[in-house]
Amino acid sequence: MTVSFADLGLLPVLVDTVTELGYVEPTPIQSDAIPPLLAGRDVMGQAQTGTGKTAAFTLPMLQHLESEGLQTLILAPTRELAIQTAEAVYRYGNQLGVRVLPVYGGAPYSRQKRRLERGVHVVVGTPGRTLDLVKQGALDLSDVRYVVLDEADEMLKMGFIDDVEAILAATDADSRQTTLFSATLPDSIRRLANTYMHDPVHIAIEANEITVENINQRYYVVEERDKVAAISRLLEVENLHNTLIFARTKVGARELAETLLARGYPVDTIHGDLPQTERERILGRFRRGTLTMLVATDVVARGVDIPDVSHVINFDIPQLGIEYVHRIGRTGRAGRGGDAITLITPRQRHHLRQIEDYTRKRMTKCKLPTREDVLARREQDFRDIITAQINEDASDAEYKLLGDLMDLGYRAEWVAAAAIKLLRANEEQRPLEDIRDPYERPERDDRTNRRDRKDNRKSKSRNGHEYDEKSRNGKSRNSSNGKSHKGGNSHEDGMVRLYMDIGRGEGIKPGDVVYGVASQSGIPGKVIGAIHIQQHETYFDVPENHVDSVLRALGRGKIKGRSMTVVPAEGVFEPA
Ligand code: AMP
């Protein structure tokens, strides 16, 4: 029997929050870790990223959130993870009014200190910067009751052990509840746990579910708006037998299936809204080969018996590593090879890396087939069909028809050319749309660069600072007005970058952002700076002195009648 979030003993407000986020059921690490954490036990979990561990340690903490004071410290090995975790804590605890601050090296101390002075409930920090702030008297950990060491093995590998121990020593050992998550449990981690944890509950998520060895895993980077064009090209050039395509939502699955149907593919869709009998009927057609493509959502894919397929295509990348493994496990069964293809947008690259960390296998980055590749493939397929047909004897009736046409004065090659044209008419159903080059920032490998960053941090070198700032604030070629950039803090002095979770896909245009923000928060429209609209998210800059008004008015507001959330793109995460 599967457990629900409510079964785990979580408050209804938290159950509502995760349900709104689209989580259907707890992941194994969540079902195992949440009850003991709610009961106040220390927990030591062996789990990687992609297992849902962040919610596992955050939800119990939020359940016991008190209205004032710094009560939780989460240590993370890198700046990226600290920001990402702070964002997750904010999302899970928004309805409870949680205030979260990520602290990390490479960013000015002044702002982090100001935020600390104003009061936060949760600090998510890298060990180096956290300890610096403690030593400077800006961060008082004496009342912290809940400490999380996230990716503990990474922190130790990076040489942060002394810092972590010094930080733990600054907290009250008797009242502290300590949680440790780590992908591996070497002796150094066990020693740390023995010294600083009280009789921890041990939880391990088996890695043996991961069996993706014979699957050829590839990915393609493409802007969201070009995904249909991209999958269309792939479907033309791959040697498909039967293909399972995964979409994130029911609506998305239905739309994609309709598009592919219009292009002449024998496809149908299964999703949660369909009655069981209907699902069975569609699956039966897929098994028999009447349908060679199926577009599905995860919910459905879980409980049903889908036969081995030649290709799994992730039209939308799954959220969880475990989901990814589950999806691609539909191919390559019984030792046969299989193909798993994933489409990602440039912003999802980090997410892809997390899934790779989970499977412990790299996917190969590939280039989409060009228009010429597709045309050449169509040509070749046609030749194959025709030559195969020539080798089969045509019937007398067909020769007679040809003879009749020739008697009328048509030459054999004219008839052949006309027949070819007719036979290939179905290709017109499959338009070859342009695909723009995705904008990709040069990739840094977090894991190999971590040590550099730590060295920079120690020496407070200018380099370390530039490294971080550049990676966050590099100007985007995609910017809507030429001066904006993606994510991060604004590069304009005195401006702060905010984020809202709707974008082009929801019909948002720059004018809507200006009007929506100005009319609801009362700030003049002309002070709003760079606006960068992406498929499902928007970044916009407002002057620092107006940030509070905007967050107060739009923290959970509406634009163009659509509910949305505005949060700082980076920095403190606190509801207005
Ligand atoms: P984590 O392992 O904490 O980095 O989480 C990986 C991803 O899984 C995040 O994008 C979460 O939003 C998502 N996630 C966490 N818990 C669940 C769940 N129970 N169901 C679906 N997605 C989840």
Side-chain angles (χ1 to χ4, degrees):
M1 201 192 70
T2 53
V3 283
S4 68
F5 278 104
D7 295 337
L8 299 179
L10 288 169
L11 290 172
V13 58
L14 293 171
V15 176
D16 288 350
T17 301
V18 290
T19 308
E20 272 171 35
L21 287 171
Y23 301 177
V24 178
E25 57 188 38
T27 64
I29 193 86
Q30 290 163 358
S31 343
D32 289 354
I34 290 174
L37 284 173
L38 284 175
R41 297 284 307 269
D42 283 4
V43 165
M44 180 158 162
Q46 185 170 11
Q48 310 146 258
T49 192
T51 51
K53 63 184 165 66
T54 316
F57 64 69
T58 302
L59 296 172
M61 176 275 285
L62 290 168
Q63 179 122 334
H64 297 131
L65 190 74
E66 285 172 16
S67 58
E68 286 307 320
L70 175 63
Q71 38 210 284
T72 296
L73 173 69
I74 302 171
L75 289 180
T78 62
R79 162 200 168 101
E80 286 74 18
L81 185 63
I83 292 172
Q84 191 185 312
T85 304
E87 204 171 19
V89 171
Y90 174 76
R91 285 194 192 285
Y92 297 136
N94 189 15
Q95 307 225 38
L96 293 167
V98 72
R99 293 197 301 274
V100 197
L101 176 70
V103 301
Y104 42 80
Y109 280 90
S110 54
R111 211 153 92 200
Q112 294 177 359
K113 286 183 178 170
R114 258 202 320 272
R115 300 292 196 181
L116 284 169
E117 269 166 30
R118 278 177 43 194
V120 294
H121 299 116
V122 181
V123 164
V124 189
T126 51
R129 176 58 64 101
T130 303
L131 188 59
D132 286 348
L133 288 166
V134 171
K135 283 184 181 156
Q136 292 175 22
L139 180 58
D140 176 6
L141 300 178
S142 49
D143 289 333
V144 164
R145 290 177 288 99
Y146 197 86
V147 174
V148 180
L149 307 178
D150 196 9
E151 298 202 357
D153 50 354
E154 285 297 323
M155 289 199 278
L156 264 47
K157 256 190 237 163
M158 291 167 67
F160 279 132
I161 180 74
D162 295 346
D163 292 1
V164 170
E165 294 199 301
I167 291 166
L168 288 171
T171 63
D172 180 354
D174 295 329
S175 61
R176 183 185 70 217
Q177 182 181 6
T178 313
T179 306
L180 180 152
F181 275 103
S182 190
T184 57
L185 295 180
D187 285 347
S188 52
I189 297 282
R190 291 180 198 276
R191 266 198 302 277
L192 189 73
N194 288 339
T195 318
Y196 293 97
M197 298 178 82
H198 308 293
D199 184 23
V201 176
H202 289 258
I203 292 167
I205 295 305
E206 293 295 325
N208 63 9
E209 290 175 37
I210 306 171
T211 48
V212 293
E213 282 313 313
N214 5 325
I215 304 173
N216 161 13
Q217 299 180 60
R218 289 174 276 156
Y219 73 99
Y220 297 85
V221 185
V222 59
E223 298 289 352
E224 184 72 37
R225 59 174 178 242
D226 290 327
K227 272 162 96 180
V228 169
I231 195 173
S232 303
R233 286 194 194 178
L234 288 166
L235 294 179
E236 295 236 19
V237 301
E238 292 288 323
N239 291 319
L240 304 171
H241 297 288
N242 46 1
T243 304
L244 192 55
I245 303 172
F246 283 99
R248 196 165 48 85
T249 62
K250 286 184 282 236
V251 179
R254 230 175 352 229
E255 281 177 5
L256 180 60
E258 276 163 21
T259 309
L260 296 179
L261 198 61
R263 288 171 189 238
Y265 292 107
V267 57
D268 208 335
T269 169
I270 49 170
H271 53 74
D273 279 355
L274 293 179
Q276 187 61 28
T277 47
E278 183 65 9
R279 282 188 216 170
E280 279 307 324
R281 200 181 59 76
I282 295 172
L283 280 169
R285 290 170 62 211
F286 190 58
R287 277 192 211 103
R288 287 193 301 277
T290 325
L291 291 175
T292 55
M293 278 176 205
L294 206 52
V295 186
T297 57
D298 286 302
V299 191
V300 157
R302 244 167 246 153
V304 295
D305 176 25
I306 290 180
D308 188 16
V309 298
S310 69
H311 285 68
V312 169
I313 303 183
N314 295 307
F315 184 73
D316 297 310
I317 188 170
Q319 293 225 348
L320 288 163
I322 204 166
E323 260 163 2
Y324 175 81
V325 171
H326 197 99
R327 285 182 182 188
I328 73 167
R330 303 291 184 168
T331 185
R333 291 200 191 155
R336 280 194 295 274
D339 281 277
I341 293 175
T342 301
L343 300 185
I344 59 161
T345 64
R347 283 184 61 80
Q348 290 170 334
R349 201 162 44 173
H350 184 62
H351 190 141
L352 180 104
R353 295 287 172 239
Q354 288 183 341
I355 289 185
E356 288 180 334
D357 285 351
Y358 181 82
T359 60
R360 303 205 184 100
K361 208 165 167 211
R362 289 276 172 240
M363 302 180 211
T364 315
K365 182 178 179 184
C366 295
K367 272 199 169 333
L368 283 169
T370 61
R371 177 192 295 271
E372 289 68 37
D373 294 336
V374 175
L375 292 174
R377 175 64 188 250
R378 287 183 184 178
E379 196 85 28
Q380 187 55 46
D381 284 352
F382 187 75
R383 278 168 208 265
D384 292 347
I385 297 171
I386 282 291
T387 43
Q389 188 62 46
I390 290 172
N391 290 333
E392 304 233 331
D393 275 345
S395 67
D396 291 346
E398 279 140 11
Y399 281 116
K400 177 170 183 308
L401 195 55
L402 179 60
D404 291 350
L405 287 165
M406 290 173 77
D407 288 346
L408 289 172
Y410 298 107
R411 285 170 33 195
E413 57 265 36
W414 298 351
V415 177
I420 290 175
K421 192 160 184 304
L422 281 176
L423 273 173
R424 298 189 69 180
N426 64 348
E427 288 172 14
E428 279 161 26
Q429 269 182 286
R430 306 198 299 272
L432 279 169
E433 293 107 340
D434 284 339
I435 297 180
R436 282 140 284 208
D437 279 341
Y439 171 64
E440 291 187 78
R441 280 179 288 188
E443 186 164 21
R444 299 174 287 133
D445 184 336
D446 282 349
R447 309 229 172 233
T448 50
N449 278 321
R450 280 173 183 178
R451 189 158 296 282
D452 302 349
R453 247 175 297 164
K454 171 161 162 70
D455 295 339
N456 288 338
R457 179 185 63 75
K458 285 280 188 220
S459 62
K460 308 275 184 302
S461 82
R462 202 175 137 59
N463 259 347
H465 184 82
E466 281 186 354
Y467 177 83
D468 277 353
E469 292 302 305
K470 243 189 256 156
S471 62
R472 278 274 139 195
N473 292 346
K475 280 190 188 174
S476 157
R477 281 196 280 138
N478 274 356
S479 65
S480 49
N481 58 7
K483 62 174 180 168
S484 77
H485 53 84
K486 291 182 178 183
N489 290 329
S490 171
H491 64 287
E492 281 181 72
D493 271 357
M495 299 294 271
V496 173
R497 171 134 303 183
L498 301 180
Y499 159 95
M500 69 171 82
D501 54 358
I502 55 177
R504 202 183 309 111
E506 288 73 33
I508 298 301
K509 300 202 177 63
D512 303 323
V513 178
V514 175
Y515 177 76
V517 171
S519 62
Q520 292 178 66
S521 65
I523 74 170
K526 64 174 187 293
V527 303
I528 298 172
I531 299 173
H532 184 100
I533 303 181
Q534 294 171 19
Q535 189 61 15
H536 296 298
E537 51 197 22
T538 298
Y539 293 93
F540 62 101
D541 291 356
V542 296
E544 200 158 13
N545 57 330
H546 289 307
V547 169
D548 287 346
S549 328
V550 174
L551 291 177
R552 208 172 303 121
L554 287 159
R556 268 190 292 147
K558 284 192 170 172
I559 281 193
K560 271 187 121 180
R562 284 194 168 263
S563 300
M564 47 98 219
T565 313
V566 174
V567 296
E570 182 187 317
V572 73
F573 296 92
E574 63 182 38

